[in-house]
Amino acid sequence: MSLLQATTSTTSPSLVLDERDGAVAILTLNHPARRNVLSSALLAELLARLESVAADRGVRCLILAASGPVFSAGHDLAELLAADAEQLQSIFSLCTRVMETIRLAPKPVIAQVQGIATAAGCQLAATCDLIVASRAASFATPGVKIGMFCSTPAVALSRAVPAKKALEMLFTGMPISAAEAERSGLVNQVVEAERLETATRALAQRIATASGDTLARGKRAFYAQLALDLPAAYDVACQAMVDGAQTPDGQEGMRAFIEKREPQWRD
């Protein structure tokens, strides 16, 4: 039996809630009693739900939220402590699959962060395409304090903030506030706690007015060019523009603009 089968079959109640608001999907980490730790069980359920949303053509944007006062406290340390090398490999590989599923999902993913996001919880937020945070939120990679450097969270963090800010967080383990995270480029919007859900959904709904096919193509091209040098990046981007201009939604969008009307997206 695979780790995914083993963990999802015994999960009750659901560790990840699934909601729809028009073309927006909301997945909510739902283990507040344990600070939404990314246990194997929660990761497996989150992966299954992410894959389901990614395949749902009716969804154009995804919000990843969490219940309770903490976004996520990261990996379940008790689980890690009891694991042998093979089990550790399975846990970290499963976590990587979750992160890569978010990055490769053909929909923009917004993290709605209400409290602290620490270690792999910070990694989860940083992996999302956008972050809306409560003013009470904070972000930390404190593995260094317990003798286990946050190497996998560093992958997402170092691609979201400048290297020196990432290293400061990784070397000290100290949290940064939502305001500092916004200044560093990790967070897109900081709002008062009572406005967090409203602001996040407003952003998601604004995104969801676009063509689903256009969003998927755009996200894929963005990440494809990101690590390339300038000439190679332009090669990828130019081909994406050529392909996009020939799609039904690309044609409809240009025609609607010229005709001064709202576009009718096919997808």
Side-chain angles (χ1 to χ4, degrees):
M1 181 181 289
S2 71
L3 179 61
L4 178 59
Q5 292 170 324
T7 53
T8 55
S9 62
T10 59
T11 300
S12 182
S14 178
L15 294 173
V16 181
L17 305 179
D18 190 339
E19 180 190 348
R20 296 291 186 276
D21 182 5
V24 175
I26 303 97
L27 298 182
T28 303
L29 308 184
N30 187 42
H31 201 182
R34 297 224 40 225
R35 297 163 60 90
N36 295 314
V37 291
L38 301 181
S39 62
S40 296
L42 190 147
L43 285 168
E45 188 170 347
L46 179 57
L47 177 62
R49 293 188 183 277
L50 285 167
E51 290 176 337
S52 177
V53 169
D56 187 341
R57 293 174 67 88
V59 173
R60 294 182 181 173
C61 190
L62 167 63
I63 294 171
L64 182 60
S67 56
V70 173
F71 180 75
S72 175
H75 285 292
D76 184 340
L77 296 184
E79 183 179 49
L80 298 187
L81 195 59
D84 60 24
E86 184 177 355
Q87 291 166 329
L88 286 169
Q89 183 65 52
S90 293
I91 292 166
F92 291 121
S93 294
L94 176 59
C95 187
T96 297
R97 285 180 63 194
V98 168
M99 304 303 164
E100 281 294 87
T101 299
I102 291 171
R103 184 179 69 86
L104 297 172
K107 340 265 181 187
V109 182
I110 306 171
Q112 177 182 302
V113 182
Q114 83 285 20
I116 190 165
T118 185
C122 182
Q123 177 187 3
L124 181 61
T127 298
C128 295
D129 304 305
L130 304 171
I131 299 177
V132 180
S134 160
R135 204 166 297 282
S138 59
F139 303 82
T141 48
V144 69
K145 294 183 175 182
I146 60 168
M148 194 169 75
F149 200 80
C150 281
S151 296
T152 45
V155 174
L157 184 64
S158 63
R159 285 160 172 77
V161 303
K164 284 183 169 53
K165 175 54 69 174
L167 286 169
E168 178 188 340
M169 292 176 66
L170 292 160
F171 287 154
T172 68
M174 295 300 293
I176 63 172
S177 67
E180 187 175 357
E182 184 179 32
R183 288 193 298 270
S184 300
L186 178 59
V187 166
N188 298 88
Q189 294 181 37
V190 177
V191 298
E192 299 301 330
E194 61 271 18
R195 292 192 56 247
L196 179 61
E197 182 177 332
T198 301
T200 308
R201 293 205 185 196
L203 177 59
Q205 294 290 0
R206 193 176 312 126
I207 291 169
T209 62
S211 151
D213 181 64
T214 300
L215 290 169
R217 288 172 179 274
K219 179 174 173 176
R220 183 168 63 246
F222 177 83
Y223 286 115
Q225 64 80 32
L226 193 59
L228 302 175
D229 62 23
L230 208 58
Y234 271 119
D235 285 344
V236 169
C238 284
Q239 188 58 54
M241 294 293 288
V242 169
D243 295 342
Q246 297 178 90
T247 64
D249 281 351
Q251 293 279 301
E252 165 63 8
M254 289 187 284
R255 189 175 295 111
F257 181 83
I258 291 168
E259 296 172 358
K260 295 181 172 55
R261 60 175 176 80
E262 290 297 314
Q264 300 298 310
W265 304 128
R266 178 175 174 178
D267 191 7

